[in-house]
Amino acid sequence: MELRHLRYFAAVAETCHFGQAAAQLHVAQPALSYAIRQLEAELDVPLFTRTTRRVTPTTAGEYLYTEVQRILGSVDDAVRGVRRIAAGRSGLVRLGLTGTAAFSHLPRIVRAVNRELPDVGVAISADMLTPAQCDALRSGATNLGLLRPPSVGEDIEVRTLDSEQLVLAVSADHRLAVEPVVSMTDLRNESFVMYGSRDSAVNEAVLRSCRAADFVPRRDHEAPGTAVLLALVAAGLGIAVVPASVRSLPIEGIVIRDLVDAGSVELALARRASEDNPVVDAVIGVIEAEFASVSGDLL
């Protein structure tokens, strides 16, 4: 049974006229009549009662017409779905995020994707440091990552999305909490809370800023992620120099102060370089367009 035969049958059942059905299908009437006879022979059932004036479906034909409508509808839906996926307009993208990006950037990303690609879903894996994100991209656990460059390992393509100044996080009762202006030299004798990963891009940016102020930070405590890091700071176990997006994390007992001479750290969109996925391409395009006004032309 060919799909073409089902479409021919549906046209005849709808019009109850071979001539009108043939014109609708843009086929010759004899070819249409022959196709219907083939279908009846294959099913070994008459599908139409034919008179000189009228063609009407038999009881079996009426049942088949109901089923054919469902079948053709499913086929058409499948064709539309395949085309939308191929065009990057439908599917699922798994997105990993580093630290505070879930608060500072994720809402804007999700709103933009929902607006421009309403049939694309976004699954979120939050609070992932850069090394873990690169591993997830290579394994296929995620399709995109919002991370702090540089990337770790091979086969990762990175596009700069934003740049954030480093700021100071201290407990509310810390001596620097009341200072209107703080510089890196003010931190020379402080205990630092830093990320536990040796590949942390934020740690590297903090070390560069400390070296520029002519000291090496005393690293007394480590944290696996931003939430724990800030909790340790709130507990008075040390200070932290972190990206400005921490302001999006309202943690009781934390005060954020600008650092007048600290460096900055980038936030980037990453993907597996070898991945060929039109849905991922479409989502990247939407995110880049959304943040173009912030970072200018992206890499």
Side-chain angles (χ1 to χ4, degrees), residues 47 91 98 134 210 268:
L47 298 174
T98 185
C134 292
C210 291

Side-chain angles (χ1 to χ4, degrees), residues 8-55:
Y8 286 4
F9 166 78
V12 176
E14 289 167 3
T15 61
C16 292
H17 195 286
F18 276 91
Q20 292 177 13
Q24 178 180 307
L25 295 166
H26 304 289
V27 299
Q29 184 173 332
L32 175 61
S33 298
Y34 178 70
I36 296 300
R37 287 197 298 273
Q38 280 186 310
L39 182 59
E40 289 177 318
E42 183 176 351
L43 295 173
D44 195 24
V45 170
L47 298 174
F48 295 101
T49 300
R50 300 163 174 84
T51 68
T52 55
R53 292 186 176 183
R54 188 170 177 80
V55 177

Side-chain angles (χ1 to χ4, degrees), residues 82-123:
V82 166
R83 288 174 176 168
R84 288 182 67 81
I85 290 172
R89 308 296 299 180
S90 179
L92 175 69
V93 170
R94 296 177 295 276
L95 174 66
L97 297 109
T98 185
T100 56
F103 298 89
S104 60
H105 290 73
L106 179 60
R108 189 172 172 185
I109 287 172
V110 171
R111 282 195 298 268
V113 172
N114 286 344
R115 181 181 66 245
E116 302 297 332
L117 302 169
D119 292 328
V120 172
V122 181

Side-chain angles (χ1 to χ4, degrees), residues 54 56 69 75 77 91 104 132 171 175 181 197 220 234-235 284 288-289:
R54 188 170 177 80
T56 55
Q69 285 181 303
V75 170
D77 288 344
S104 60
S171 61
R175 65 180 182 85
V181 178
S197 171
D220 286 348
I284 288 174
E288 287 183 340

Side-chain angles (χ1 to χ4, degrees), residues 84-199:
R84 288 182 67 81
I85 290 172
R89 308 296 299 180
S90 179
L92 175 69
V93 170
R94 296 177 295 276
L95 174 66
L97 297 109
T98 185
T100 56
F103 298 89
S104 60
H105 290 73
L106 179 60
R108 189 172 172 185
I109 287 172
V110 171
R111 282 195 298 268
V113 172
N114 286 344
R115 181 181 66 245
E116 302 297 332
L117 302 169
D119 292 328
V120 172
V122 181
I124 305 300
S125 297
D127 209 12
M128 298 176 68
L129 296 180
T130 294
Q133 286 209 48
C134 292
D135 288 342
L137 289 169
R138 276 188 291 269
S139 71
T142 59
N143 306 110
L144 285 175
L146 201 58
L147 51 73
R148 308 287 182 188
S151 60
V152 179
E154 299 178 350
D155 197 31
I156 302 296
E157 176 186 295
V158 175
R159 304 159 185 251
T160 302
L161 200 65
D162 202 354
S163 180
E164 297 182 64
Q165 286 298 122
L166 294 174
V167 297
L168 175 67
V170 297
S171 61
D173 59 356
H174 193 278
R175 65 180 182 85
L176 294 175
V178 296
E179 295 294 330
V181 178
V182 182
S183 69
M184 290 300 300
T185 56
D186 295 325
L187 311 182
R188 184 183 302 274
N189 298 315
E190 295 293 333
S191 296
F192 277 68
V193 181
M194 301 181 75
Y195 291 104
S197 171
R198 62 184 178 85
D199 296 311

Side-chain angles (χ1 to χ4, degrees), residues 197-211:
S197 171
R198 62 184 178 85
D199 296 311
S200 167
V202 173
N203 282 358
E204 288 301 314
V206 172
L207 288 171
R208 286 195 300 270
S209 296
C210 291
R211 291 191 190 109

